[in-house]
Amino acid sequence: MSLIKQLWVVITVVLILAFVSSFSISSYSARSYFSEQLNIKNIDNANMLALSISQLEKDPTLIELLLAAQFDTGHYQKIALILANGETFLVKEYESAVAEAVPDWFSTLVPLNVSPGVAQIQDGWQQFGTLYVESHSRFAQQALWQSTSQMFFWFAVVALFSGALGSLILKVITRPLDDVVAQAEAIGGRRFITSNEPKTLEFGRVVRAMNLLSLRVRNMLEAENKRLDEMRTKFQLDELTGLSNRTTFMAALDAAVAGDDKTEPHIICMLRVFDLRVINQQLGHQTTDKLLRDVAAILQQHCKAVEAQVGSSLIARLNSSDFAMLLTQTDDVKAICAAIQQSLLHLQQAHKAKVNVHFPLAATVFFSSEAKSDILIRLDNLLANAELTEEVGIELAYIPEQGQMFRSAAEWREALTTAIRNNEIGLMQYPVCRYDGTLVHNEAMVRVNLAGEPRSAGSFIAWARRLGLLPQLDVAVIRNALLLLQSAENLTLAVNMTIDSIKDYAIKNTILNLLQAQPELSKRLSLEFNEQAVILEIEAFKDFVRAAKHCGILLGVQAAGNQFAQLKDIQELGLDYLKVDASLIRQLYSAPQNAKEFIGGFCALGHSLGLTMIAEGVAADYDVSLLQQVGLDAITGPGVKGA
């Protein structure tokens, strides 16, 4: 029970006790007052009536008429005259002593105990008899009921008014408590946020302590992030340009080639600064370095321009004169290279007065089904041909028919829209396991029925992204994931989502409504996003995480590690797991010394936030003990089989 509810329970109990006490005291005080007044009235009336009869002749008829007339005034319950010899002369008694407007339970609960007035009637010096007079109590009972009812009514009015006023006051007083609770819940959800200190002394002390905890965690994470970024810079990046180095690029290419989806298209581009030795002699070392940095900046600029249209991107300096760019989940090689060519022409013109700069450019589309050696040989041949031209020569290679099911964008749109509308979508499950074989969850990979066959994401993802259909596809995938969870009680699923879905307000609300409608199923569902996409839309991601956490959803980031330092305020996100990028895992085996230190620090950072660290792209020939040594908790990839 919440603190506010407990306070209201206490207040309600106190009010009830106060009311019962006040009601009881007031009622019984009023009863005593009315009883006393009736006693006095009975005595006075008995004495007055006895005196009047004493002065009359003792004619029985006359006395009876006098007593009857007095009784008929309606103010008496009973009048009785007992003669001196003990005989009953007259008894007049009202049939009912209870007022009609007074409930029986009230008369029983609060009775009026009134003694009759007693007076002696004289006949000269002799006693004629004894007179008993008992006034009617119904008027007093009715007055007591009315006063009690009014007191109850006004007490209820005051109680309601006090309750409303108390609610406002309590809301103002406990307003800082909402912040305290929100911060405590955030810390419980591994989101270390800070709050403004409230003026209330006790709340202020609690918030101060929690802010101190959050600040320490933030400082620790910032320091560890900085250390990891420095380490990553040292072993992953080229010192001059800040691009990735050859080892990192080749590991990323290995990961792309080793992907599970063999129909997924990727682009690899290679750019050469031709005859760099001559350029260095003519321009000098510093100017040549600036030229290389300008080339790197052009590649970064165009890579950033297409980040939202590709799965992931990586630019590297392979050696002194060669640059390479890897774009996954796309095949639009002609448009990308044409844009790069224009920028290189401008750069070439800028240096034409001093030196003839030549930038051969080659690019090819490849699929995960190809061997890396074949891709690199094809690229080298293209680059050699590009070197034969005087200007910025471009050589492109295609694999024309592979994965091309439709001839135009309109046909692709119609096919994808129809498949989504008719729910021609399936989910293939791949296990994510701990080292003992315990299942963490199953990764749900989408399959869409196109051209009469179920196709993997690689066959259509580039077109779906280009046509803006990824959000609708995500909604359909989540619907199917919930249906799968409903059919299997012990199943846990992880679904990869695109950042486009949570940027679209309507789609985001549709997804959240689906999750909120089935909270028990949602607790067995995980949603994960690509690290590069999260960095691009960090605010949209934070908003979605906050909303999704209320549904009990687990949230993770995949392909993580290469740009982790750019995930600002990671401690406030409330993530549940990170999947370390397959290229980093490959470097753990190709360049173990540097990679081991970096991944170990990365896992330690994740564990400090309570995150489960999962290795992606684990092949069958990998030594999993090495993964365990660096702190990875679970594994997934082509070499992982379910329990």
Side-chain angles (χ1 to χ4, degrees):
M1 184 183 295
S2 67
L3 176 61
I4 300 298
K5 289 182 179 179
Q6 292 182 37
L7 286 173
W8 271 116
V9 168
V10 171
I11 291 171
T12 303
V13 170
V14 170
L15 285 174
I16 291 173
L17 289 175
F19 169 73
V20 171
S21 301
S22 177
F23 181 81
S24 301
I25 293 171
S26 298
S27 297
Y28 283 95
S29 296
R31 187 192 70 167
S32 299
Y33 173 76
F34 283 121
S35 296
E36 182 180 352
Q37 292 302 312
L38 283 175
N39 278 330
I40 294 172
K41 181 177 180 297
N42 286 344
I43 293 170
D44 288 345
N45 289 351
N47 288 331
M48 181 190 67
L49 191 55
L51 182 60
S52 298
I53 295 175
S54 297
Q55 294 174 356
L56 295 176
E57 293 184 8
K58 301 305 182 281
D59 180 17
T61 303
L62 183 61
I63 293 172
E64 185 175 349
L65 288 174
L66 179 61
L67 291 175
Q70 186 72 19
F71 182 80
D72 289 341
T73 59
H75 298 293
Y76 297 96
Q77 172 66 30
K78 182 179 180 181
I79 295 178
L81 176 57
I82 307 300
L83 299 177
N85 59 8
E87 293 182 8
T88 300
F89 178 81
L90 178 69
V91 175
K92 288 283 187 177
E93 187 170 5
Y94 197 77
E95 293 181 359
S96 175
V98 180
E100 294 178 0
V102 179
D104 293 339
W105 63 265
F106 182 76
S107 300
T108 304
L109 186 63
V110 190
L112 290 175
N113 300 318
V114 183
S115 301
V118 181
Q120 304 297 323
I121 299 175
Q122 299 295 123
D123 183 13
W125 294 102
Q126 302 293 323
Q127 181 178 349
F128 179 76
T130 303
L131 182 64
Y132 296 89
V133 176
E134 187 176 341
S135 295
H136 208 304
S137 62
R138 72 178 184 277
F139 303 108
Q141 193 83 42
Q142 191 169 353
L144 181 61
W145 166 248
Q146 289 177 349
S147 65
T148 303
S149 301
Q150 290 175 359
M151 183 180 68
F152 178 80
F153 171 76
W154 287 111
F155 188 90
V157 170
V158 171
L160 291 174
F161 176 77
S162 301
L165 183 62
S167 295
L168 294 176
I169 295 173
L170 196 60
K171 190 173 183 179
V172 172
I173 293 174
T174 59
R175 188 173 295 160
L177 183 61
D178 295 336
D179 296 333
V180 175
V181 171
Q183 188 178 21
E185 288 176 345
I187 291 175
R190 300 183 301 280
R191 292 183 292 111
F192 295 91
I193 62 175
T194 56
S195 300
N196 296 326
E197 290 187 20
K199 295 180 180 179
T200 308
L201 178 62
E202 292 78 7
F203 293 161
R205 290 172 61 188
V206 174
V207 171
R208 199 175 305 119
M210 291 197 294
N211 281 346
L212 182 60
L213 171 64
S214 296
L215 185 60
R216 286 176 177 172
V217 171
R218 182 189 296 271
N219 292 337
M220 178 196 71
L221 293 176
E222 287 178 354
E224 185 64 16
N225 247 337
K226 184 178 180 181
R227 188 183 73 84
L228 287 174
D229 200 41
E230 291 173 353
M231 193 185 306
R232 185 181 73 88
T233 300
K234 185 177 179 181
F235 93 92
Q236 281 194 326
L237 303 185
D238 174 62
E239 186 176 351
L240 176 63
T241 61
L243 302 178
S244 297
N245 57 28
R246 182 183 182 87
T247 303
T248 303
F249 185 84
M250 289 304 173
L253 181 58
D254 284 337
V257 170
D260 293 328
D261 193 340
K262 301 305 179 184
T263 63
E264 197 166 63
H266 312 295
I267 294 174
I268 183 171
C269 303
M270 186 173 289
L271 168 68
R272 178 168 291 164
V273 182
F274 188 71
D275 214 352
L276 182 62
R277 183 180 59 82
V278 175
I279 294 173
N280 190 40
Q281 290 174 351
Q282 294 180 358
L283 293 181
H285 180 67
Q286 291 185 349
T287 306
T288 302
D289 285 349
K290 183 179 183 304
L291 174 65
L292 293 172
R293 285 194 291 267
D294 289 342
V295 171
I298 287 173
L299 293 176
Q300 287 176 315
Q301 174 190 345
H302 289 284
C303 186
K304 189 172 184 179
V306 298
E307 273 182 334
Q309 285 79 48
V310 301
S312 63
S313 59
L314 182 68
I315 310 171
R317 185 185 181 199
L318 303 183
N319 53 45
S320 59
S321 61
D322 290 352
F323 296 82
M325 180 165 63
L326 177 65
L327 303 174
T328 64
Q329 295 180 353
T330 184
D331 58 2
D332 195 12
V333 63
K334 185 178 291 185
I336 293 170
C337 288
I340 295 174
Q341 181 188 36
Q342 290 302 314
S343 298
L344 290 174
L345 283 171
H346 289 302
L347 183 61
Q348 188 180 52
Q349 290 298 319
H351 290 84
K352 193 170 185 179
K354 295 182 179 180
V355 66
N356 184 24
V357 184
H358 182 204
F359 299 110
L361 178 64
T364 181
V365 176
F366 70 94
F367 295 84
S368 298
S369 56
E370 296 184 69
K372 184 176 76 168
S373 57
D374 294 340
I375 298 168
L376 294 176
I377 290 171
R378 184 163 73 243
L379 197 62
D380 283 339
N381 291 334
L382 291 169
L383 194 60
N385 291 334
E387 287 179 355
L388 300 177
T389 61
E390 290 296 328
E391 298 294 330
V392 181
I394 298 183
E395 290 291 330
L396 306 178
Y398 298 89
I399 303 176
E401 299 301 325
Q402 186 168 357
Q404 299 300 316
M405 290 169 281
F406 305 102
R407 292 174 296 178
S408 66
E411 290 183 5
W412 272 105
R413 181 181 294 278
E414 176 63 24
L416 288 170
T417 303
T418 301
I420 293 171
R421 183 174 59 247
N422 297 336
N423 196 30
E424 297 175 351
I425 293 172
L427 297 175
M428 291 291 291
Q429 298 179 37
Y430 296 90
V432 177
C433 299
R434 298 189 184 275
Y435 300 106
D436 60 358
T438 306
L439 189 69
V440 176
H441 58 235
N442 283 302
E443 287 186 281
M445 300 299 183
V446 63
R447 297 289 184 268
V448 176
N449 192 21
L450 297 171
E453 294 181 20
R455 307 283 181 168
S456 60
S459 303
F460 60 82
I461 195 72
W463 276 104
R465 182 181 286 112
R466 200 173 301 163
L467 297 171
L469 295 175
L470 286 179
Q472 292 88 336
L473 184 62
D474 280 344
V475 172
V477 168
I478 289 178
R479 290 185 194 276
N480 280 275
L482 291 172
L483 288 174
L484 272 178
L485 292 171
Q486 191 173 20
S487 63
E489 294 183 358
N490 298 322
L491 181 63
T492 54
L493 285 179
V495 173
N496 178 246
M497 287 185 62
T498 61
I499 208 72
D500 297 349
S501 298
I502 61 176
K503 287 167 54 183
D504 187 312
Y505 183 79
I507 294 293
K508 181 179 75 171
N509 282 345
T510 300
I511 291 171
L512 291 174
N513 290 336
L514 284 173
L515 300 176
Q516 290 167 357
Q518 304 183 72
E520 292 304 315
L521 299 181
S522 299
K523 291 176 181 177
R524 293 189 279 129
L525 181 65
S526 302
L527 302 180
E528 53 192 50
F529 297 80
N530 187 278
E531 180 187 71
Q532 199 170 60
V534 168
I535 291 170
L536 290 175
E537 300 292 342
I538 187 65
E539 293 304 322
F541 181 69
K542 286 181 179 179
D543 290 341
F544 180 78
V545 168
R546 281 191 285 268
K549 278 295 179 181
H550 292 294
C551 307
I553 295 291
L554 297 179
L555 290 153
V557 171
Q558 67 166 7
N562 287 313
Q563 302 179 56
F564 191 74
Q566 298 179 43
L567 273 177
K568 300 298 182 184
D569 300 323
I570 181 66
Q571 74 280 357
E572 296 182 10
L573 294 181
L575 299 175
D576 296 285
Y577 62 89
L578 294 175
K579 290 184 175 177
V580 182
D581 190 65
S583 64
L584 283 173
I585 302 302
R586 284 189 171 271
Q587 289 181 69
L588 189 60
Y589 295 91
S590 61
Q593 187 57 42
N594 292 329
K596 188 174 182 180
E597 187 178 356
F598 175 74
I599 296 175
F602 186 38
C603 289
L605 177 62
H607 289 153
S608 68
L609 291 171
L611 304 179
T612 300
M613 305 299 291
I614 302 169
E616 287 185 321
V618 176
D621 58 343
Y622 280 13
D623 180 8
V624 295
S625 64
L626 182 56
L627 301 176
Q628 197 168 5
Q629 286 174 20
V630 296
L632 289 158
D633 305 303
I635 54 177
T636 183
V640 178
K641 304 299 181 184

